[in-house]
Every structure is written in C-alpha cells, then in structure tokens.
Amino acid sequence: MESRSRFDQRRKNKGRRKKKRYKILTVLLIIIIALIGYSAFQYYQGLQMSKGDPSALKTDYKFNGKKDKNGKINVLLLGVDTRGEEKSRSDTMMVAQYDPKTEQTKIVSLMRDMYVEIPGYQNYKLNTAFFLGGPELLRQTIKKNFDLDIQYYAIVDFKGFEKSIDTLAPDGIEINVEKPMSEKIGVSLQPGLQKLHGKELLGYARFRHDAEGDFGRVARQQKVLEAVKDKALSLGGVTKLPKILGAVQPYYDTNMSKLNELALLKDVLFNNDKKIKTLRVPVDGSYSDGYYSHAGAVLEVDFEKNKEAIDEFLNGSGSTGQSGDSGQ
C-alpha cells in the first residue's frame, strides 16, 4: 500500500514537472513570436521611411569572394557617393575582419590615393578600381597588391549612412570635433564636444581639406565607427536595428545572405567587451608622395612592407603601431 502511494506521488510530481516545462516553453514561444513580429514591424517602418526614394546602388554586382586561409571572415566595406550617377568612385574603403574563435573585430582602412596595379587596366589610384569594375575588380586589386583575401562586400551610399544615423540616434552621436570644418562636406562644423546628426557626422568623417588630408580623414572614420558601435550597443540602439536595415535598403548592397548578415551583426555588436582594433594602410614609413599626369597626386607605396603589416595585424598579435590606430 505504501509503495503504491509512493508510485502515485512520483507520477504526480512527474506530471507537475511536465506542466511546468510546457508553460516555460509556451512563454518562450510567445516571446520569440513577439520579437519576430516587433522586428518585422520595425523593418517595415524603416522601409516606409525610404518609400519613393530612388535606388542609389546597382545590385547585380558579381563578386568571386575568397575565404580567408585562417577561417576568418573578411568583408570589404565601401562608402560611395553616387549622386544619381551610374558609376562612382569609392570614397571610403575598409576591410573588416571578424574572428569567430577569438570574437575579435579588426578593421584595415585603405587610403584611396595609393597608386596601385589594377588588373587589366593602367596603374591608378586604388579607389578607381571600383569605378572601373565595381567591388569585384576592387577585390582583385586588393588581392594583387596586398595579398588579402576577401569573402564578402557591403556597400553603403552616403545618403544611406545619414538615414541610418538619424534612425539610430535622433538626437545625434556625440563627437569631439577637433577644428572648424566646412570645405566640400556640405555642412559647417565648429570645434568642441557635440552631438552630430547624420549629415553632420558624414561631413565630419569625410573632411580632408587640411594639412592632414586623407590621413586625418581615415583617423576620423575610425573614430566615428567606434562611436556608432557604442551607440548601437545601447538598449535603444539594439531595438532600432531592424528599422535601420529597412531605412537603408535603397542605399545598401551586399552579397551576404540575410542570415549571415544578421549573424555577423549580432556577433560584432554584442561582443562589447572588446574594442575594434584598427590599422591604416599605408603604414607609417612605407610611402612617399608622387605625381602622374593621368592620375594626379598619389601615394607611392612599399607593398612588401604593407603586406607584412597587414598579415601581422590580422593574423599575428595585432599590435602594429602607427598614427590612426585605436583600441590597441
């Protein structure tokens, strides 16, 4: 009789545990459905923000991306100013690397005025490769000159950058502006710590008409990336990511699948205990000023020295030091 009672009690306890697990699973399912619904709604709202905007980028680029030999993910990040034109030069060129093993993000900023060998064409400035053959020719050019394999590309028109910043941070992104800036950036900025909206932040990142030229611009671009990442990591920023993706659709193109894109964004953005490491190419002591009648003022580059610096930065200790580095 006593054993029968124990059996009944165990059966009741087992039934309670099953009901508890069922309730937990039900709650989790409701949360997941709610998150999916919220994300879809936010994405739709973003699309509505850009409704009627002309598509700024062609989206039929061919790209024969090559996987990194060390299993890391390398993405060619391009900022372009189409201004309604069919072809444009890439104003901002970076290679972002994410290492799944160390969860570390590194960015190599490539200066546009480097005089390089463009496969199938006359030697010219690096940013001309995109103008001549889109991201694929630029990929080939980077591989040819710097021996760097790139698997994916992501292109953002500057109008899309403005929209993404204004969606992420309606009150602006806090930046310490070092000096007065206005020439050929469409805005007028004064020195001091202040919050910049999309157009202003873009102008700050693009300014190059001072003694530092492109070197100063690359340093500011790296500074802006870190500030935007910090803002995106805030609770409000995270909830706006689907809306941002929707808002920039007419101005954004990539060969990554949506699944890979979202997974990579999640890994990079939520790995907030590590700062983004950056490297500027050409590195210090590896270039000189040059001039060609067909190309104008250029940077003559020691390619072997820069190949070594890139390999050490991406695959070694990553402690290459130079002006323009941050987070090291």
Side-chain angles (χ1 to χ4, degrees):
M1 191 74 176
E2 186 177 347
S3 61
R4 173 77 178 180
S5 176
R6 288 178 179 174
F7 174 78
D8 290 342
Q9 186 62 41
R10 283 198 297 270
R11 189 169 61 179
K12 288 180 181 178
N13 290 339
K14 187 176 181 180
R16 291 193 191 102
R17 286 195 295 270
K18 281 185 176 180
K19 288 181 179 179
K20 187 176 181 180
R21 285 197 295 268
Y22 176 77
K23 288 181 180 178
I24 292 173
L25 288 173
T26 301
V27 171
L28 287 174
L29 183 61
I30 292 172
I31 292 173
I32 291 171
I33 292 173
L35 286 173
I36 292 173
Y38 173 80
S39 297
F41 175 71
Q42 287 286 304
Y43 182 77
Y44 176 77
Q45 277 197 323
L47 285 176
Q48 292 300 109
M49 289 173 59
S50 298
K51 190 174 182 180
D53 288 356
S55 180
L57 296 170
K58 59 180 292 185
T59 57
D60 58 345
Y61 289 119
K62 293 181 180 179
F63 195 77
N64 301 315
K66 306 296 182 185
K67 291 185 178 180
D68 180 78
K69 59 186 177 182
N70 297 305
K72 301 172 184 179
I73 300 169
N74 291 339
V75 183
L76 179 61
L77 303 178
L78 302 173
V80 300
D81 185 11
T82 60
R83 301 183 188 181
E85 298 176 359
E86 185 177 346
K87 286 187 173 184
S88 61
R89 285 176 170 79
S90 47
D91 193 80
T92 301
M93 294 171 288
M94 300 178 179
V95 177
Q97 181 187 87
Y98 178 73
D99 187 344
K101 293 181 180 178
T102 64
E103 298 183 337
Q104 177 67 64
T105 301
K106 297 179 180 180
I107 290 181
V108 178
S109 295
L110 301 166
M111 295 186 66
R112 67 180 196 172
D113 289 341
M114 289 187 290
Y115 193 66
V116 298
E117 182 179 343
I118 301 176
Y121 294 88
Q122 182 180 15
N123 290 9
Y124 220 97
K125 295 180 181 180
L126 179 62
N127 69 331
T128 305
F130 180 82
F131 176 81
L132 294 172
E136 171 58 16
L137 184 58
L138 182 54
R139 181 196 69 80
Q140 293 177 24
T141 302
I142 292 171
K143 174 64 177 177
K144 178 74 175 178
N145 293 272
F146 301 104
D147 195 27
L148 178 57
D149 287 315
I150 298 170
Q151 187 175 2
Y152 301 111
Y153 74 84
I155 307 173
V156 179
D157 183 79
F158 289 144
K159 188 68 176 178
F161 176 84
E162 292 179 22
K163 280 183 173 287
S164 66
I165 295 302
D166 290 337
T167 304
L168 172 66
D171 294 330
I173 300 284
E174 191 170 78
I175 290 287
N176 186 17
V177 180
E178 311 92 66
K179 62 186 75 175
M181 302 177 186
S182 60
E183 189 173 353
K184 295 184 178 181
I185 59 173
V187 294
S188 181
L189 303 176
Q190 298 302 317
L193 185 65
Q194 55 201 282
K195 288 187 175 182
L196 303 182
H197 293 92
K199 188 173 183 179
E200 297 166 331
L201 192 64
L202 176 63
Y204 173 78
R206 294 188 69 189
F207 180 74
R208 65 189 293 236
H209 294 278
D210 61 1
E212 294 180 313
D214 260 349
F215 292 92
R217 176 165 66 173
V218 168
R220 282 187 289 276
Q221 288 171 354
Q222 293 171 345
K223 181 178 173 181
V224 166
L225 275 177
E226 193 64 43
V228 171
K229 181 191 175 186
D230 290 343
K231 186 64 178 180
L233 280 170
S234 67
L235 178 61
V238 169
T239 60
K240 291 176 181 176
L241 288 178
K243 188 175 183 179
I244 293 170
L245 288 175
V248 302
Q249 279 304 298
Y251 309 97
Y252 174 74
D253 183 47
T254 182
N255 67 327
M256 284 186 284
S257 68
K258 288 296 180 186
L259 186 61
N260 286 339
E261 187 180 356
L262 290 172
L264 190 60
L265 275 173
K266 173 185 71 65
D267 289 341
V268 172
L269 289 177
F270 290 97
N271 184 28
N272 57 1
D273 60 327
K274 296 179 181 177
K275 293 179 72 65
I276 296 176
K277 294 179 181 293
T278 61
L279 178 76
R280 187 206 67 224
V281 172
V283 297
D284 287 342
S286 71
Y287 63 90
S288 60
D289 294 328
Y291 184 87
Y292 294 89
S293 58
H294 67 284
V298 301
L299 293 176
E300 298 276 17
V301 176
D302 182 332
F303 291 103
E304 289 305 315
K305 186 174 287 189
N306 281 281
K307 286 179 186 177
E308 291 174 5
I310 291 172
D311 184 61
E312 170 64 20
F313 176 69
L314 294 179
N315 303 311
S317 64
S319 58
T320 303
Q322 61 172 62
S323 60
D325 284 356
S326 66
Q328 301 203 27

